[in-house]
Amino acid sequence: GVRHIREIERILATVPLNPSALPCVEALRERGVRTAILTCGIDLLANRIAAVLGVDACWANSLQTTKDGLLTGNGIPNVTLENKHRYLRQLAECFNTPIEQTAYIGDSAFDIPLFQTVGFAITTSPELQSFANFYLPFENLHKLPELLP
């Protein structure tokens, strides 16, 4: 049957946060680095993670609901594979940061064009090492601040 958005929120609330994510963001914040989540995933999860981590911005896709909160079965594609590149540039502009001084962390082949756009590309996927400046396993995100120039 038709589900309510609160059911999805409850399910997504159980998704664990990478234990090294918070120390990473905190260390970046101490260095004055602004952070963001830019994902083709669902905003319900991305916004929760952004709030826990205290990132500066979060852009993701939405689930369409009725005014009563029932899911329609449709999504609202805010960030797509085709426009993610544009959003990355907008984020850099919002942060008054040249794209060449922007870092990007990605884990899929769809991130390769974004790796090629920024000044500092990090992948968490061993298969993408040749496309990024650094390979950093997901569980070692806390080491990211040490890699930044």
Side-chain angles (χ1 to χ4, degrees):
V2 177
R3 302 274 184 206
H4 197 278
I5 193 76
R6 281 193 221 105
E7 291 179 58
I8 304 302
E9 289 170 342
R10 278 194 296 275
I11 292 167
L12 294 176
T14 66
V15 174
L17 185 64
N18 177 342
S20 75
L22 186 58
C24 175
V25 172
E26 287 174 342
L28 291 171
R29 189 178 308 114
E30 286 173 12
R31 291 181 59 179
V33 175
R34 306 222 24 219
T35 56
I37 294 174
L38 177 61
T39 179
C40 294
I42 299 172
D43 62 354
L44 294 173
L45 180 58
N47 288 337
R48 179 178 71 86
I49 292 170
V52 170
L53 296 179
V55 301
D56 299 295
C58 181
W59 289 349
N61 297 311
S62 303
L63 297 175
Q64 188 178 64
T65 62
T66 66
K67 62 181 181 188
D68 299 324
L70 297 176
L71 296 170
T72 65
N74 295 317
I76 301 170
N78 303 311
V79 180
T80 65
L81 296 174
E82 293 79 25
N83 72 13
K84 198 172 186 183
H85 187 272
R86 182 170 46 88
Y87 276 101
L88 179 62
R89 287 190 178 281
Q90 283 182 309
L91 270 170
E93 286 177 26
C94 288
F95 291 166
N96 293 317
T97 303
I99 198 74
E100 302 81 27
Q101 293 178 14
T102 301
Y104 179 83
I105 302 171
D107 63 357
S108 103
F110 295 112
D111 293 314
I112 293 171
L114 288 88
F115 291 159
Q116 297 167 341
T117 301
V118 299
F120 199 78
I122 304 105
T123 183
T124 57
S125 172
E127 296 82 21
L128 300 178
Q129 289 183 64
S130 63
F131 299 100
N133 301 101
F134 286 96
Y135 162 63
L136 191 62
F138 197 59
E139 64 274 7
N140 290 335
L141 281 180
H142 63 282
K143 295 181 179 180
L144 174 62
E146 302 166 19
L147 300 177
L148 294 178

